[in-house]
Amino acid sequence: MEGVLATWFVSDGQTVEKGQLIAEVQVDKVSAEVEAPASGRIRLLVKEQDVVQQESPIAQVD
Amino acid sequence: MVLIDTSSASVTTRKLTTAKAMVEGISQEMELDQSVFVLGEDVGAYGGIFSSTTGLLEKFGPKRVLDTPISETAFMGLATGAAVEGMRPIVELMFVDFFGVCMDQIYNHMAKIHYESGGNVKVPLVLMTAVGGGYSDGAQHSQCLWGTFAHLPGLKVVVPSNPFDAKGLMISAIRDDNPVVYMFHKGVMGLPWMAKNPRSLGAVPEQSYEVPIGKASVVRTGKDVTIISLSLSVHHALDAADELATQGVDCEVIDLRSLVPLDRGTILESAGKTGRVLVVDEDYKSFGLSGEIAAVICESDPRLLKVPFARLAVPDVPIPYSRTLEYAVLPTADRIISEIKHLMG
């Protein structure tokens, strides 16, 4: 299964709270919201419109 | 009246799409006021086909988020009746194009009960509906029709173009004691499956706030020419203004935000400043908003304009399904640039 990183709601380097909405991934005509799994500084590993595989990392929270 | 000072440090904002900002506005009002509820086709489990009600069923349950059968005339009547009895319904007409089957409920009942009752009965409801084209949905799913609704006395009409206004206008519409038609363009919602539009994502305060109904917003100041627009066309106008700035043309862009009441003051002030006016309207050209704005200016003082008034609107044809033909009739940034160059001589 693959999807497209449709929207980043946060910027690279921003501080995020656990549970905060960080991204929307589009799979066909369904979109899935991604919440921050932990609090900290976020590094974005993919760009908007990039195709991402299921289970592949899209960001890292330090 | 914006109830919070959004420039103050105590306000927490984060980026939201227009759709999520709308839902947040509805949700906060539902928490505040038990009389607010939502009804319409696919507003429940589906979350609204353009994500205008996503998550509300899970949060508030089926007694306050009602999926209705496919009978617009029945559920428009239901909403009007509920409003008359003291509830504050938000009723979704899935596409504005479907108004034909429920227009008696809207313009003979919803819009006129307050007048017919000598002001004794209020109809505090929000009729929210998806408008606009640009994604090949054909002639019966792509119209704007705000001119049609604004023409009828008894209805307020608001048309947000961005996330901040979408939330604030929704809250104002819910709190208003009059029926308010809230028209959202599918292209400004920030939906992942529609054309990517960076202006449909923006900073939105977490707190509740109102954006006043009837107040236009000058979204870009300029001295050479005024572009008066609304909804998705505001985004195109801002893109055109960015491009024209590199060519030495300084555009002022006005986002009307409300058609009823219409902010005539802001229109006249800007027309007087630049002396050149282009209206960009995704609704049909004849007998509509663009002609109304020309009349507003002429009735005040035609000498405000240095060059003849110009308008870019959908020529009086149905919106084509074919992508190429569709974009041949919709207002685009390229077409705005060409109109402005003509106005500048």
Side-chain angles (χ1 to χ4, degrees):
Chain A
M1 175 87 81
E2 63 178 33
V4 173
L5 197 299
T7 307
W8 278 119
F9 291 98
V10 293
S11 317
D12 194 40
Q14 189 181 323
T15 305
V16 298
E17 297 291 324
K18 183 178 179 181
Q20 181 182 344
L21 174 66
I22 57 169
E24 207 161 39
V25 176
Q26 182 197 343
V27 183
D28 294 325
K29 281 207 169 185
V30 178
S31 62
E33 294 185 349
V34 182
E35 294 179 352
S39 301
R41 218 170 108 93
I42 193 165
R43 279 199 301 130
L44 309 186
L45 303 177
V46 299
K47 296 189 298 295
E48 285 188 355
Q49 302 309 314
D50 278 1
V51 174
V52 292
Q53 300 296 325
Q54 193 168 10
E55 302 299 330
S56 70
I58 58 170
Q60 183 174 330
V61 180
D62 298 319
Chain B
M1 171 185 53
V2 177
L3 284 186
I4 59 162
D5 176 6
T6 46
S7 62
S8 109
S10 63
V11 173
T12 315
T13 70
R14 65 273 182 262
K15 281 201 274 183
L16 289 182
T17 59
T18 303
K20 291 183 194 301
M22 269 177 71
V23 174
E24 187 168 276
I26 296 171
S27 179
Q28 288 178 347
E29 285 302 290
M30 288 180 77
E31 282 170 19
L32 214 61
D33 184 347
Q34 289 294 314
S35 64
V36 178
F37 72 104
V38 178
L39 72 161
E41 293 159 353
D42 280 333
V43 298
Y46 198 106
I49 60 162
F50 299 108
S51 301
S52 54
T53 57
T54 305
L56 293 176
L57 175 66
E58 292 78 357
K59 197 165 176 186
F60 297 101
K63 285 190 175 166
R64 297 185 69 193
V65 182
L66 281 70
D67 270 326
T68 61
I70 306 176
S71 174
E72 284 83 359
T73 199
F75 68 73
M76 279 302 157
L78 192 162
T80 302
V84 162
E85 291 298 324
M87 302 292 283
R88 304 189 88 86
I90 301 164
V91 56
E92 180 165 279
L93 177 60
M94 186 184 273
F95 288 77
V96 74
D97 314 70
F98 304 165
F99 81 101
V101 290
C102 53
M103 205 51 176
D104 184 60
Q105 286 301 324
I106 297 171
Y107 90 114
N108 272 332
H109 300 280
M110 189 188 294
K112 291 193 171 71
I113 285 174
H114 184 65
Y115 172 82
E116 295 278 2
S117 69
N120 288 309
V121 178
K122 293 186 171 70
V123 188
L125 68 72
V126 180
L127 195 180
M128 69 173 175
T129 186
V131 304
Y135 64 107
S136 288
D137 211 0
Q140 299 155 326
H141 296 79
S142 302
Q143 302 170 95
C144 287
L145 298 180
W146 40 62
T148 301
F149 285 82
H151 182 68
L152 301 164
L155 300 168
K156 293 186 178 180
V157 179
V158 299
V159 189
S161 73
N162 60 63
F164 181 89
D165 289 345
K167 179 175 171 182
L169 281 172
M170 176 57 77
I171 291 171
S172 296
I174 293 169
R175 294 178 183 176
D176 201 294
D177 278 341
N178 300 285
V180 179
V181 183
Y182 182 107
M183 310 180 91
F184 60 89
H185 197 297
K186 303 144 209 167
V188 309
M189 294 293 269
L191 303 174
W193 53 276
M194 298 282 282
K196 191 77 186 169
N197 173 357
R199 296 189 203 273
S200 59
L201 188 68
V204 178
E206 286 180 358
Q207 290 86 341
S208 178
Y209 61 95
E210 294 181 18
V211 166
I213 295 175
K215 186 80 193 90
S217 168
V218 180
V219 289
R220 180 190 176 107
T221 55
K223 60 177 174 23
D224 295 330
V225 58
T226 300
I227 306 175
I228 298 171
S229 193
L230 72 170
S231 197
L232 179 63
S233 296
V234 172
H235 303 208
H236 300 326
L238 288 169
D239 291 343
D242 285 346
E243 172 60 27
L244 286 160
T246 68
Q247 302 174 32
V249 180
D250 191 15
C251 299
E252 182 146 300
V253 180
I254 294 175
D255 181 350
L256 288 173
R257 301 197 294 193
S258 300
L259 293 196
V260 181
L262 183 64
D263 186 352
R264 294 176 172 83
T266 297
I267 293 169
L268 292 170
E269 194 178 320
S270 185
K273 179 169 89 169
T274 65
R276 299 181 182 89
V277 170
L278 170 69
V279 175
V280 182
D281 181 12
E282 200 188 305
D283 203 353
Y284 301 121
K285 184 170 184 175
S286 300
F287 309 99
L289 171 68
S290 58
E292 181 63 27
I293 291 173
V296 164
I297 295 169
C298 288
E299 283 170 348
S300 168
D301 184 355
R303 293 166 300 181
L304 289 175
L305 298 184
K306 291 186 272 201
V307 298
F309 173 88
R311 52 177 164 163
L312 178 61
V314 173
D316 302 324
V317 296
I319 311 285
Y321 176 85
S322 146
R323 188 64 61 99
T324 311
L325 290 177
E326 183 177 25
Y327 276 87
V329 305
L330 293 176
T332 57
D334 285 348
R335 208 164 280 131
I336 295 169
I337 290 169
S338 135
E339 289 286 334
I340 295 288
K341 284 183 173 168
H342 182 71
L343 272 182
M344 296 303 294

